[in-house]
Amino acid sequence: MTEANAILKPSAATAEPLLPLAVRAYRDGDRARWDAFVFDCPDATFFHRIGWRDIYADVFGHRTHYLLAERGAQIVGVLPLVELKSLLFGHSLVSLPFAVYGGAASMDADAKAELDRHAVQLGRELGVSHVELRNRTPVEAAWPRLEMYVTFRKALLPDAEANLLAIPRKQRAMVRKAIQRDLRSEIDPDTRRFFDLYADNQHRHGTPAQSRRYFEALQSTFGADCEALTILSPQGKAVSGVLSFYFRDEVLPYYAGDLTDARDLAANDFKYWELMRRACERGLKVFDYGRSKLGTGSFDFKKNWGFEPAQLHYEFALLKRDTVPQNNPSNPKYKRAIETWRKLPRGVVNTIGPMLARHLG
């Protein structure tokens, strides 16, 4: 990669010129430096961690193109990119598939712009139809956007009871009802119980499930920062579960699953309350309820907890197409496929589902 032509003007305080900005491809020796930067950069998210690069390559078989920006020996920005090739969805360069957040993480405005420029250049070299950056805030004003998604994040109060009282009255009543039903939560040492709940849920919703191997890889890669919590009925039956990510002082409930029994038991309400309560006791500061599409049941459920939506800005550089892709279940062209998937036997969907899911980034 070549050096950028522009150099930021020195601040009046230092009166020293900044070192030239250079963008280059990630190398194996950058691993520790990359993650150290991600943990320090306010722009970065759990999905910027370098462990995802291994998962994209080893579990899904996708080519990764991770870029970093440096001034001298100091990293000032990173941009993880994954190349997706699919007969159904085409050829694209995405930051990041299977993630709600992506795009460049930077402490330097020039570095962010230069990383985006290199992403487009790389996209042209690879011959992709588009480059997609899943930004939390607007970055590229000239790029078209997909703004059908929002995220729900809320500061946790230091006291568990205060967090319960902060939940709006109707939803709080559901949580109290669940508590009274003698449900209990357990942290699992692995993802086996979680996967069975997740796969059942995905089948009911007509969506191919990821593989067991994927969830095992997440836990193996991120260790204690990837945790499975299971909700048990009074009889000890696993009825609901959630796989959460931990990053700095945040908890992100990310993958969830349940049985049909869960609704009558209010087990899903109890599940998220238990996760919130445990996070509070651990001293965490933020509960990130994740992404939802506008106008969906998931959106309404999170609003009922007193969380306010924040718009996500998925920005696209269209290289070989004229419109933003609509690769989501709301697209009418996929509705028939969803209905067909629901009717297939569970054994069939568990076998072929992961082969399809790897392209649903």
Side-chain angles (χ1 to χ4, degrees), residues 173-211:
M174 290 296 296
V175 172
R176 292 195 186 280
K177 184 182 295 185
I179 293 172
Q180 293 167 1
R181 287 177 173 163
D182 293 326
L183 299 173
R184 69 179 191 276
S185 65
E186 292 181 352
I187 302 298
D188 288 349
D190 54 48
T191 58
R192 286 180 296 179
R193 286 200 298 190
F194 165 77
F195 179 80
D196 289 338
L197 294 164
Y198 156 82
D200 186 82
N201 186 275
Q202 292 292 97
H203 189 197
R204 294 200 314 271
H205 286 86
T207 305
Q210 297 289 1
S211 65

Side-chain angles (χ1 to χ4, degrees), residues 57-77:
D58 298 341
V59 177
F60 297 114
H62 297 315
R63 286 183 67 193
T64 61
H65 304 272
Y66 276 41
L67 304 176
L68 56 85
E70 294 175 306
R71 291 192 186 277
Q74 182 179 6
I75 296 177
V76 293

Side-chain angles (χ1 to χ4, degrees), residues 20-154:
L21 178 66
V23 173
R24 64 172 175 83
Y26 169 88
R27 296 190 289 260
D28 288 342
D30 298 320
R31 191 175 187 89
R33 295 175 62 231
W34 179 292
D35 254 359
F37 174 81
V38 165
F39 275 94
D40 286 342
C41 178
D43 240 6
T45 71
F46 181 83
F47 305 100
H48 288 87
R49 291 185 59 175
I50 200 62
W52 283 99
R53 181 174 178 269
D54 303 328
I55 290 169
Y56 290 128
D58 298 341
V59 177
F60 297 114
H62 297 315
R63 286 183 67 193
T64 61
H65 304 272
Y66 276 41
L67 304 176
L68 56 85
E70 294 175 306
R71 291 192 186 277
Q74 182 179 6
I75 296 177
V76 293
V78 298
L79 175 55
L81 292 157
V82 179
E83 185 179 355
L84 299 180
K85 290 184 178 181
S86 166
L87 292 175
L88 185 60
F89 300 118
H91 188 192
S92 60
L93 194 61
V94 182
S95 182
L96 282 159
F98 314 112
V100 294
Y101 312 132
S106 175
M107 300 193 185
D108 182 321
D110 279 10
K112 187 182 288 285
E114 194 64 13
L115 284 163
D116 286 359
R117 188 182 74 80
H118 276 76
V120 174
Q121 177 182 315
L122 178 60
R124 290 197 175 100
E125 293 171 0
L126 295 171
V128 304
S129 64
H130 65 274
V131 177
E132 176 184 354
L133 304 181
R134 297 182 178 180
N135 295 317
R136 287 198 290 181
T137 58
V139 177
E140 297 291 347
W143 292 19
R145 294 180 188 147
L146 178 68
E147 294 189 324
M148 67 185 301
Y149 294 111
V150 296
T151 187
F152 291 85
R153 291 165 54 84
K154 187 176 181 181

